[in-house]
Amino acid sequence: MNTGNQSKKFIPLEELGVISSKTDIWVQTQVRNLTCNSSKISVILNCSVKYSKPNIASMERSAGNLFLSLDEPKDNKSVIYEIRWRERGSEWQNATFETKENTYKDLYTLHLHNRTVYQIQLRRQAKLHSLQCNDSHSLWSDWSALTDIPLEIHIPPVLHLDEKVWSNGTRDIKITWAATSAEETIGGVTYNMNLSVWSCGKPKRIQLSTLNQTFDISVTYSNASISIIATNKVGRSAPKKIIIPPVKHRNECVTFTNITKAKKRCLEWYKMEDGEILPNSVKKSKDKLIKHIKNEVQKFVRHYYILHIFSKQHQTAEMCPFYSIEGAPIKGPGGVNTTDLTHESVVLNWRHIPMAEQRGFLKHYIIWISGHGKTKLHKVPADKTSFLIKNLHPGTSYTISIAGKTIAGKGPNTTVNTETHSKEKGLSWQDQTILSVCVVAFLCTFICSFAARRFKRKLCPVVPSPVVDAAEFIYPQDQQDLSQITEEVHEFVLLLRQELNKSTENVAPGQSTILQNFGLVVFEEEEEEGEEGEVTDLSFMKSCFYPNPSYRGKTLQLPENFHLTDSPIKDNDTESTYRNGLFFETKVQECDKTSL
């Protein structure tokens, strides 16, 4: 009868006696008076061992090697393993190896390419020692789950901090970092952080998942440290540690909150040199009070204490610089010199006295100016490094001394000598300022005027003026009597031959006279026998232009083939003509002669 119920029973082989020979195995059960037996099977137990599939306990990847640590079988016997690996999407590669007996873990090293992602699987079988067993009886376990092998993390996370300081003695710190590469993140990445935010406590450890790449925390005004390590399936990155510096130290005592309701408190104090903390001098205590530590620290040395409390959160309650006993400075200011020297003023410059040599809280600097039979004293605040000395006398030598002063007294002087300019040697700063303003105003005026002219030329083109050739004017060398200058008149006779019956329109181009170049054209016609010649009327040559005043002094050039007649000129009709800057007066005579 099959009830459908199943059960398992694990029996150590040692309880079964002989396991190296054939053994019959069956199951018997009894219900009240009824006994039931299963069918028998005959096996050699020593040859029929099938292990469970192996599990990878841990693995580490470094320099092209994959180090595997596998869980060992419960019988602690030697085991044969088969491992196969491949790059994603490629063919499997196989290898086998054996392990030793009675070892805590089964170890194996697989050689892989350094920057390649792989997949691996393993299975195992018992190593048979009995002569009755053969390969046909050995049983392989199931393959292990497919495991992706990521790349090792080479670069530690790069942290970025955002700080917001509150006035109640706390600071909010936001820590962010970028995720590792996709090949390094396969299988998941966790970030292990160690935070030291409470001076009197142990570092706080926090583990974050790969989904979180930001972390917010509240810290005190004191310094805090944060370290982070990225871990994946095959290893971890180098730790990345950063220090959150304390807030800027105050020169006076400051109280931020009430300490009466504090659940716990922490007092830390340290020696300071030039405003810096000496890490090896930081001391902490949960029980000591401020009045106790003042009696323990070194005399004449500045220290700083910070009192932290915890009620609902960690916060700073008090910050204060202090001395157990103050003294006068043992050194004067350094680097004392004078600049910007004029006839009536000078600027004195110096460097602060180093904190270790102040031996107390510096109240102010004292400056003495001696010269011209007088000594003046000035007090300058302790945070200043320069001072303008005014109302000095021109051309006078002065001795200037400066010293620092604490509640216990003043320290040594530092002295410098200087001499003011005489008034003739230079201008005062007021005169220099006025001169500079005038120069700038002149330059601006010149530039604006030049720019305006350029702009005007672009908008309004220049109107061209008449061009009169200077060669056309003849100036008399002797200008004593200008009234005696008269106009020169040149006369010549132009002989014309015309045929009264022929029209002037048929004149050949070669028949024109040389007066064409001057705008006066005279037409010629051949004379027919037996006819009397007539003179052409030149009145149509009147010009529509006004005479050019520069026509005087011009000489009419005649060609070689032009001849003048010796006939006398008679007073007959005249006609005036103006062409191309020349003025012509034409007279027509009865004897077929024309004179110009």
Side-chain angles (χ1 to χ4, degrees):
M1 182 178 64
N2 186 2
T3 61
N5 296 327
Q6 295 181 356
S7 61
K8 294 181 180 179
K9 177 67 175 180
F10 295 95
I11 303 174
L13 295 180
E14 293 78 3
E15 296 181 3
L16 299 178
V18 180
I19 60 174
S20 58
S21 58
K22 183 177 288 189
T23 306
D24 294 334
I25 299 176
W26 72 94
V27 178
Q28 184 181 71
T29 182
Q30 185 174 359
V31 179
R32 297 180 182 176
N33 296 327
L34 180 63
T35 300
C36 297
N37 296 324
S38 66
S39 57
K40 295 181 181 180
I41 58 173
S42 298
V43 296
I44 301 176
L45 296 177
N46 199 28
C47 299
S48 301
V49 177
K50 181 180 180 180
Y51 289 126
S52 60
K53 59 184 179 181
N55 292 320
I56 301 175
S58 63
M59 54 184 173
E60 183 177 351
R61 190 171 182 177
S62 176
N65 294 321
L66 178 64
F67 303 97
L68 297 173
S69 177
L70 309 172
D71 63 329
E72 191 178 46
K74 294 182 179 180
D75 58 3
N76 295 327
K77 297 298 179 89
S78 177
V79 178
I80 300 174
Y81 281 90
E82 181 181 6
I83 182 172
R84 61 182 183 180
W85 69 95
R86 67 178 180 184
E87 297 181 25
R88 287 182 171 181
S90 62
E91 298 294 331
W92 289 104
Q93 302 180 59
N94 294 68
T96 58
F97 62 93
E98 295 184 9
T99 60
K100 298 180 181 180
E101 296 183 358
N102 299 320
T103 57
Y104 176 71
K105 293 290 183 182
D106 290 339
L107 304 176
Y108 181 69
T109 301
L110 180 63
H111 299 285
L112 303 173
H113 293 295
N114 192 25
R115 304 299 297 174
T116 305
V117 177
Y118 287 91
Q119 294 176 321
I120 64 170
Q121 281 185 307
L122 296 102
R123 66 176 181 174
R124 59 189 172 187
Q125 70 173 181
K127 185 176 181 180
L128 304 180
H129 299 281
S130 174
L131 297 177
Q132 297 177 356
C133 300
N134 52 48
D135 294 339
S136 61
H137 293 104
S138 59
L139 301 176
W140 283 100
S141 69
D142 297 331
W143 285 102
S144 64
L146 187 65
T147 303
D148 292 315
I149 308 300
L151 302 182
E152 57 181 321
I153 303 176
H154 287 279
I155 302 176
V158 179
L159 302 182
H160 301 279
L161 299 181
D162 292 327
E163 179 187 47
K164 185 172 184 180
V165 181
W166 300 99
S167 60
N168 61 350
T170 63
R171 294 179 291 169
D172 288 342
I173 305 296
K174 185 179 184 64
I175 309 169
T176 59
W177 61 90
T180 57
S181 65
E183 291 81 6
E184 297 173 347
T185 312
I186 294 174
V189 175
T190 57
Y191 297 93
N192 298 317
M193 300 183 64
N194 288 331
L195 306 176
S196 179
V197 297
W198 179 248
S199 300
C200 297
K202 295 181 179 180
K204 182 180 180 181
R205 296 182 179 180
I206 300 176
Q207 188 172 10
L208 303 176
S209 67
T210 185
L211 298 178
N212 294 327
Q213 289 156 12
T214 62
F215 183 75
D216 298 325
I217 191 171
S218 178
V219 300
T220 64
Y221 281 1
S222 183
N223 62 331
S225 63
I226 299 175
S227 64
I228 183 171
I229 299 174
T231 305
N232 64 1
K233 294 171 64 175
V234 295
R236 59 177 58 191
S237 68
K240 179 66 176 181
K241 184 176 182 179
I242 58 173
I243 301 296
I244 303 175
V247 297
K248 185 177 180 180
H249 291 92
R250 309 293 182 91
N251 293 325
E252 67 282 345
C253 296
V254 182
T255 300
F256 302 103
T257 186
N258 191 354
I259 64 174
T260 55
K261 298 181 179 181
K263 297 180 181 179
K264 56 182 180 179
R265 50 185 290 160
C266 176
L267 181 64
E268 61 175 326
W269 66 98
Y270 41 80
K271 179 181 177 181
M272 297 185 65
E273 289 188 3
D274 293 331
E276 299 295 330
I277 302 172
L278 299 180
N280 56 355
S281 67
V282 177
K283 297 181 180 180
K284 305 170 185 177
S285 175
K286 297 180 180 179
D287 305 319
K288 289 186 177 181
L289 301 178
I290 298 173
K291 63 181 181 181
H292 297 151
I293 64 173
K294 286 186 176 181
N295 298 327
E296 298 178 0
V297 299
Q298 186 179 355
K299 297 179 180 179
F300 311 120
V301 176
R302 183 177 297 186
H303 288 73
Y304 207 90
Y305 77 80
I306 304 178
L307 177 62
H308 309 292
I309 62 171
F310 178 80
S311 54
K312 295 181 180 180
Q313 60 179 347
H314 298 104
Q315 60 185 129
T316 299
E318 292 180 5
M319 298 178 66
C320 187
F322 71 96
Y323 286 88
S324 61
I325 297 178
E326 293 189 60
I330 60 175
K331 188 177 180 181
V336 179
N337 62 85
T338 57
T339 57
D340 300 333
L341 184 64
T342 68
H343 67 282
E344 61 180 2
S345 65
V346 67
V347 176
L348 182 68
N349 306 285
W350 66 91
R351 293 194 303 268
H352 284 302
I353 302 174
M355 185 177 293
E357 297 169 349
Q358 292 180 13
R359 296 169 61 88
F361 294 109
L362 205 62
K363 297 173 68 68
H364 52 256
Y365 290 102
I366 304 176
I367 298 176
W368 295 269
I369 303 101
S370 299
H372 205 260
K374 296 181 181 179
T375 300
K376 295 182 180 180
L377 184 145
H378 297 277
K379 293 182 180 180
V380 181
D383 58 341
K384 301 295 183 182
T385 56
S386 64
F387 181 70
L388 175 61
I389 303 173
K390 299 184 292 185
N391 300 324
L392 302 179
H393 293 276
T396 305
S397 297
Y398 286 92
T399 300
I400 305 174
S401 301
I402 182 172
K405 187 178 185 303
T406 66
I407 194 173
K410 74 177 187 66
N413 298 342
T414 302
T415 302
V416 65
N417 296 317
T418 188
E419 182 177 355
T420 56
H421 296 314
S422 60
K423 285 189 177 182
E424 294 76 16
K425 290 186 178 180
L427 299 175
S428 64
W429 66 270
Q430 296 92 341
D431 296 336
Q432 292 178 0
T433 302
I434 295 173
L435 181 60
S436 300
V437 172
C438 293
V439 171
V440 172
F442 173 76
L443 292 177
C444 292
T445 303
F446 176 77
I447 293 172
C448 294
S449 176
F450 179 76
R453 290 183 179 181
R454 293 289 299 270
F455 183 72
K456 182 178 179 181
R457 288 179 181 178
K458 291 182 179 180
L459 294 182
C460 304
V462 178
V463 178
S465 60
V467 178
V468 179
D469 190 356
E472 297 180 355
F473 295 90
I474 299 176
Y475 298 95
Q477 297 180 355
D478 189 4
Q479 299 182 4
Q480 296 179 357
D481 189 3
L482 299 178
S483 63
Q484 297 179 0
I485 298 176
T486 59
E487 180 181 294
E488 293 184 11
V489 178
H490 297 273
E491 295 184 357
F492 68 93
V493 177
L494 176 64
L495 302 179
L496 299 176
R497 291 185 300 172
Q498 288 183 326
E499 291 182 5
L500 300 176
N501 297 331
K502 292 184 179 181
S503 173
T504 61
E505 297 176 356
N506 298 326
V507 178
Q511 294 174 328
S512 299
T513 65
I514 49 79
L515 294 180
Q516 289 177 341
N517 295 333
F518 299 92
L520 178 60
V521 180
V522 180
F523 297 92
E524 297 179 0
E525 292 183 355
E526 295 182 3
E527 182 180 1
E528 294 183 0
E529 295 181 359
E531 295 183 356
E532 294 182 359
E534 295 181 2
V535 179
T536 303
D537 185 10
L538 300 178
S539 62
F540 72 94
M541 300 296 291
K542 289 184 177 180
S543 173
C544 63
F545 300 99
Y546 291 100
N548 189 342
S550 63
Y551 79 94
R552 296 179 179 86
K554 287 195 173 182
T555 303
L556 180 63
Q557 301 292 334
L558 300 177
E560 294 178 359
N561 58 356
F562 191 86
H563 300 282
L564 299 176
T565 64
D566 297 330
S567 301
I569 302 174
K570 297 180 180 182
D571 296 331
N572 293 332
D573 296 336
T574 62
E575 182 71 26
S576 298
T577 305
Y578 177 80
R579 290 293 176 90
N580 292 346
L582 295 177
F583 188 83
F584 298 92
E585 183 177 285
T586 305
K587 296 180 180 181
V588 181
Q589 299 180 357
E590 297 177 354
C591 55
D592 294 342
K593 298 177 182 178
T594 302
S595 65
L596 277 74

mmCIF file of all heavy atoms in Angstrom, residues 29 49 62 98 105 132 145 166 195 205 208 238 330 335 349 383 387 468 505 553 571:
data_model
loop_
_atom_site.group_PDB
_atom_site.id
_atom_site.type_symbol
_atom_site.label_atom_id
_atom_site.label_comp_id
_atom_site.label_asym_id
_atom_site.label_seq_id
_atom_site.Cartn_x
_atom_site.Cartn_y
_atom_site.Cartn_z
ATOM 1 N N THR A 29 8.269 -1.615 7.681
ATOM 2 C CA THR A 29 7.456 -0.790 8.569
ATOM 3 C C THR A 29 6.336 -1.626 9.139
ATOM 4 O O THR A 29 5.919 -2.629 8.543
ATOM 5 C CB THR A 29 6.869 0.414 7.796
ATOM 6 O OG1 THR A 29 6.126 1.210 8.714
ATOM 7 C CG2 THR A 29 5.933 -0.047 6.685
ATOM 8 N N VAL A 49 28.591 5.928 -3.733
ATOM 9 C CA VAL A 49 28.488 7.202 -3.008
ATOM 10 C C VAL A 49 28.249 8.345 -4.007
ATOM 11 O O VAL A 49 28.966 8.475 -4.997
ATOM 12 C CB VAL A 49 29.769 7.473 -2.197
ATOM 13 C CG1 VAL A 49 29.686 8.838 -1.508
ATOM 14 C CG2 VAL A 49 29.992 6.358 -1.191
ATOM 15 N N SER A 62 42.940 37.753 -8.036
ATOM 16 C CA SER A 62 44.085 38.653 -7.945
ATOM 17 C C SER A 62 45.107 38.279 -9.002
ATOM 18 O O SER A 62 45.494 37.107 -9.112
ATOM 19 C CB SER A 62 44.703 38.582 -6.544
ATOM 20 O OG SER A 62 45.866 39.386 -6.471
ATOM 21 N N GLU A 98 41.941 16.802 -7.763
ATOM 22 C CA GLU A 98 41.651 16.012 -6.562
ATOM 23 C C GLU A 98 42.051 16.799 -5.329
ATOM 24 O O GLU A 98 42.976 17.610 -5.357
ATOM 25 C CB GLU A 98 42.406 14.682 -6.591
ATOM 26 C CG GLU A 98 41.983 13.746 -7.704
ATOM 27 C CD GLU A 98 42.702 12.407 -7.613
ATOM 28 O OE1 GLU A 98 43.385 12.183 -6.586
ATOM 29 O OE2 GLU A 98 42.585 11.617 -8.561
ATOM 30 N N LYS A 105 39.114 22.833 4.255
ATOM 31 C CA LYS A 105 38.468 23.319 3.051
ATOM 32 C C LYS A 105 39.178 22.725 1.845
ATOM 33 O O LYS A 105 40.370 22.441 1.881
ATOM 34 C CB LYS A 105 38.526 24.862 2.960
ATOM 35 C CG LYS A 105 37.700 25.590 4.020
ATOM 36 C CD LYS A 105 36.200 25.442 3.785
ATOM 37 C CE LYS A 105 35.404 26.221 4.809
ATOM 38 N NZ LYS A 105 33.950 26.060 4.627
ATOM 39 N N GLN A 132 36.679 -3.820 -5.832
ATOM 40 C CA GLN A 132 35.411 -4.256 -6.403
ATOM 41 C C GLN A 132 34.701 -3.124 -7.155
ATOM 42 O O GLN A 132 33.759 -3.366 -7.904
ATOM 43 C CB GLN A 132 34.491 -4.779 -5.301
ATOM 44 C CG GLN A 132 35.045 -5.996 -4.585
ATOM 45 C CD GLN A 132 34.142 -6.451 -3.458
ATOM 46 O OE1 GLN A 132 33.142 -5.807 -3.172
ATOM 47 N NE2 GLN A 132 34.482 -7.578 -2.831
ATOM 48 N N ALA A 145 25.426 25.727 -8.821
ATOM 49 C CA ALA A 145 24.761 26.848 -9.495
ATOM 50 C C ALA A 145 25.774 27.642 -10.326
ATOM 51 O O ALA A 145 26.953 27.751 -9.973
ATOM 52 C CB ALA A 145 24.097 27.761 -8.472
ATOM 53 N N TRP A 166 25.801 74.009 11.956
ATOM 54 C CA TRP A 166 24.701 74.609 12.703
ATOM 55 C C TRP A 166 25.262 75.337 13.923
ATOM 56 O O TRP A 166 26.387 75.085 14.358
ATOM 57 C CB TRP A 166 23.695 73.551 13.145
ATOM 58 C CG TRP A 166 23.086 72.809 11.995
ATOM 59 C CD1 TRP A 166 23.445 71.584 11.530
ATOM 60 C CD2 TRP A 166 22.014 73.256 11.161
ATOM 61 N NE1 TRP A 166 22.671 71.224 10.457
ATOM 62 C CE2 TRP A 166 21.771 72.238 10.208
ATOM 63 C CE3 TRP A 166 21.221 74.393 11.117
ATOM 64 C CZ2 TRP A 166 20.790 72.335 9.228
ATOM 65 C CZ3 TRP A 166 20.243 74.502 10.142
ATOM 66 C CH2 TRP A 166 20.025 73.490 9.230
ATOM 67 N N LEU A 195 33.225 54.843 11.068
ATOM 68 C CA LEU A 195 33.043 56.248 11.420
ATOM 69 C C LEU A 195 33.526 56.487 12.838
ATOM 70 O O LEU A 195 33.158 55.753 13.764
ATOM 71 C CB LEU A 195 31.571 56.647 11.311
ATOM 72 C CG LEU A 195 30.876 56.358 9.962
ATOM 73 C CD1 LEU A 195 29.409 56.724 10.043
ATOM 74 C CD2 LEU A 195 31.550 57.119 8.847
ATOM 75 N N ARG A 205 30.941 51.147 13.129
ATOM 76 C CA ARG A 205 31.016 50.457 11.845
ATOM 77 C C ARG A 205 29.629 50.356 11.221
ATOM 78 O O ARG A 205 28.677 49.958 11.881
ATOM 79 C CB ARG A 205 31.626 49.070 12.009
ATOM 80 C CG ARG A 205 33.077 49.110 12.486
ATOM 81 C CD ARG A 205 33.665 47.720 12.583
ATOM 82 N NE ARG A 205 35.062 47.777 13.024
ATOM 83 C CZ ARG A 205 35.837 46.696 13.192
ATOM 84 N NH1 ARG A 205 35.335 45.489 12.961
ATOM 85 N NH2 ARG A 205 37.079 46.837 13.581
ATOM 86 N N LEU A 208 26.827 49.232 4.194
ATOM 87 C CA LEU A 208 25.838 49.754 3.262
ATOM 88 C C LEU A 208 25.761 48.848 2.039
ATOM 89 O O LEU A 208 26.742 48.225 1.640
ATOM 90 C CB LEU A 208 26.211 51.168 2.812
ATOM 91 C CG LEU A 208 26.394 52.206 3.924
ATOM 92 C CD1 LEU A 208 26.855 53.524 3.332
ATOM 93 C CD2 LEU A 208 25.107 52.402 4.687
ATOM 94 N N ALA A 238 41.144 48.771 -1.715
ATOM 95 C CA ALA A 238 41.948 49.362 -0.652
ATOM 96 C C ALA A 238 41.073 50.331 0.138
ATOM 97 O O ALA A 238 40.167 50.959 -0.417
ATOM 98 C CB ALA A 238 43.148 50.082 -1.248
ATOM 99 N N ILE A 330 58.107 86.797 24.195
ATOM 100 C CA ILE A 330 59.566 86.690 24.269
ATOM 101 C C ILE A 330 60.222 87.128 22.969
ATOM 102 O O ILE A 330 61.448 87.069 22.844
ATOM 103 C CB ILE A 330 59.993 85.247 24.612
ATOM 104 C CG1 ILE A 330 59.480 84.284 23.535
ATOM 105 C CG2 ILE A 330 59.496 84.846 25.990
ATOM 106 C CD1 ILE A 330 59.977 82.852 23.736
ATOM 107 N N GLY A 335 59.684 90.872 10.317
ATOM 108 C CA GLY A 335 59.474 91.449 9.002
ATOM 109 C C GLY A 335 59.020 92.887 9.020
ATOM 110 O O GLY A 335 58.228 93.295 8.162
ATOM 111 N N ASN A 349 54.660 97.991 8.194
ATOM 112 C CA ASN A 349 54.187 96.614 8.010
ATOM 113 C C ASN A 349 54.985 95.675 8.911
ATOM 114 O O ASN A 349 56.180 95.908 9.167
ATOM 115 C CB ASN A 349 54.355 96.173 6.549
ATOM 116 C CG ASN A 349 53.690 97.132 5.578
ATOM 117 O OD1 ASN A 349 52.486 97.149 5.445
ATOM 118 N ND2 ASN A 349 54.503 97.942 4.897
ATOM 119 N N ASP A 383 45.005 91.857 15.604
ATOM 120 C CA ASP A 383 44.821 91.145 14.332
ATOM 121 C C ASP A 383 45.329 91.934 13.136
ATOM 122 O O ASP A 383 45.216 91.466 11.996
ATOM 123 C CB ASP A 383 43.340 90.812 14.127
ATOM 124 C CG ASP A 383 42.473 92.063 14.132
ATOM 125 O OD1 ASP A 383 42.925 93.111 14.631
ATOM 126 O OD2 ASP A 383 41.327 91.984 13.628
ATOM 127 N N PHE A 387 49.999 99.628 9.561
ATOM 128 C CA PHE A 387 49.450 100.825 10.203
ATOM 129 C C PHE A 387 49.978 102.046 9.459
ATOM 130 O O PHE A 387 51.180 102.152 9.166
ATOM 131 C CB PHE A 387 49.846 100.889 11.673
ATOM 132 C CG PHE A 387 49.305 102.088 12.400
ATOM 133 C CD1 PHE A 387 47.947 102.207 12.674
ATOM 134 C CD2 PHE A 387 50.158 103.125 12.791
ATOM 135 C CE1 PHE A 387 47.449 103.319 13.317
ATOM 136 C CE2 PHE A 387 49.669 104.229 13.450
ATOM 137 C CZ PHE A 387 48.305 104.326 13.712
ATOM 138 N N VAL A 468 41.466 123.474 -58.657
ATOM 139 C CA VAL A 468 42.015 124.479 -59.556
ATOM 140 C C VAL A 468 43.491 124.237 -59.668
ATOM 141 O O VAL A 468 44.197 124.219 -58.643
ATOM 142 C CB VAL A 468 41.730 125.909 -59.043
ATOM 143 C CG1 VAL A 468 42.328 126.944 -59.982
ATOM 144 C CG2 VAL A 468 40.242 126.097 -58.878
ATOM 145 N N GLU A 505 26.790 119.280 -93.972
ATOM 146 C CA GLU A 505 26.626 117.948 -93.379
ATOM 147 C C GLU A 505 27.500 116.925 -94.037
ATOM 148 O O GLU A 505 27.724 115.873 -93.456
ATOM 149 C CB GLU A 505 25.154 117.512 -93.465
ATOM 150 C CG GLU A 505 24.220 118.409 -92.682
ATOM 151 C CD GLU A 505 22.778 117.988 -92.871
ATOM 152 O OE1 GLU A 505 22.552 117.056 -93.660
ATOM 153 O OE2 GLU A 505 21.900 118.570 -92.217
ATOM 154 N N GLY A 553 46.258 133.536 -69.566
ATOM 155 C CA GLY A 553 47.601 132.989 -69.629
ATOM 156 C C GLY A 553 47.711 131.751 -70.460
ATOM 157 O O GLY A 553 48.801 131.233 -70.638
ATOM 158 N N ASP A 571 37.451 146.469 -88.818
ATOM 159 C CA ASP A 571 36.478 146.474 -87.736
ATOM 160 C C ASP A 571 35.125 146.126 -88.298
ATOM 161 O O ASP A 571 34.373 147.004 -88.756
ATOM 162 C CB ASP A 571 36.446 147.847 -87.047
ATOM 163 C CG ASP A 571 37.753 148.147 -86.395
ATOM 164 O OD1 ASP A 571 38.435 147.141 -85.990
ATOM 165 O OD2 ASP A 571 38.098 149.309 -86.255
#
